[in-house]
Amino acid sequence: MFGKRFVVSGVIAILIGTLGACSGGGEGGDDDGIAWEQSDTTSGGDGSGSGSASGQDSAPTAQDSTVHGLKDTVRHVTVKTARATRPRRISKCSTATRRVRHTSGTGTGSRRTTRTWYTSERYRSCTEVRSGTETYRRTVRTEKWCVGLDDVNGDRARDDVWFQVGTTDYGAARTADEHARLEFTPTAEGC
């Protein structure tokens, strides 16, 4: 009984030491400022914040792996559209007739006779034709939610790395303290 408690205590001590080493501080860098939104959080100097993102609506990357690091900043890239024109297509229909063959048989064996006759049926024939042009809104830039991390996956040389995330992860990162340790599954790298 004493031996089991000793082993459990040792494992807990190793886990605490490992987690303490992963939550070291780091200074955040500035980003390029193109269509971005800085989170309105207060500065925390030691990197010990809360705010782990959950990743409930994030799609997995090709590696199907999560990333972790210290929060640098967040960015919401809004959708951008432009007015454009395209050919307008309409349906043009006309009524036409076609000949339909009918048969019926009476009797059996050598006394069987077959009667054949034809009727004309009307039907509607439609085709798509071009008729001028129409205007529409073309998407130039899609909407993205991004989180910038420092010390990505514990590598202190990997700072200012952007990841695209889902709206749930973005909301959690936005409300987290500055330099808080975040972990999420990104939808793509870059922003």
Side-chain angles (χ1 to χ4, degrees), residues 115-133:
R115 180 173 164 254
T116 302
W117 73 99
Y118 296 89
T119 60
S120 293
E121 276 187 2
R122 296 182 71 135
Y123 69 97
R124 193 174 163 100
S125 174
C126 296
T127 57
E128 275 199 355
V129 295
R130 183 175 171 171
S131 175
T133 59

Side-chain angles (χ1 to χ4, degrees), residues 41-136:
T41 57
T42 58
S43 173
D46 60 352
S48 61
S50 62
S52 174
S54 63
Q56 292 173 357
D57 63 348
S58 298
T61 60
Q63 294 85 9
D64 193 25
S65 62
T66 60
V67 296
H68 61 84
L70 304 179
K71 175 187 171 182
D72 183 15
T73 188
V74 297
R75 177 188 295 171
H76 176 215
V77 179
T78 57
V79 67
K80 183 178 180 182
T81 61
R83 192 173 173 151
T85 59
R86 63 186 170 199
R88 182 170 169 254
R89 302 191 70 82
I90 61 169
S91 289
K92 187 174 183 181
C93 298
S94 61
T95 304
T97 58
R98 61 184 162 207
R99 194 175 184 209
V100 181
R101 182 175 183 260
H102 305 277
T103 59
S104 69
T106 58
T108 59
S110 61
R111 294 183 177 266
R112 180 170 177 80
T113 58
T114 302
R115 180 173 164 254
T116 302
W117 73 99
Y118 296 89
T119 60
S120 293
E121 276 187 2
R122 296 182 71 135
Y123 69 97
R124 193 174 163 100
S125 174
C126 296
T127 57
E128 275 199 355
V129 295
R130 183 175 171 171
S131 175
T133 59
E134 63 181 357
T135 59
Y136 73 104

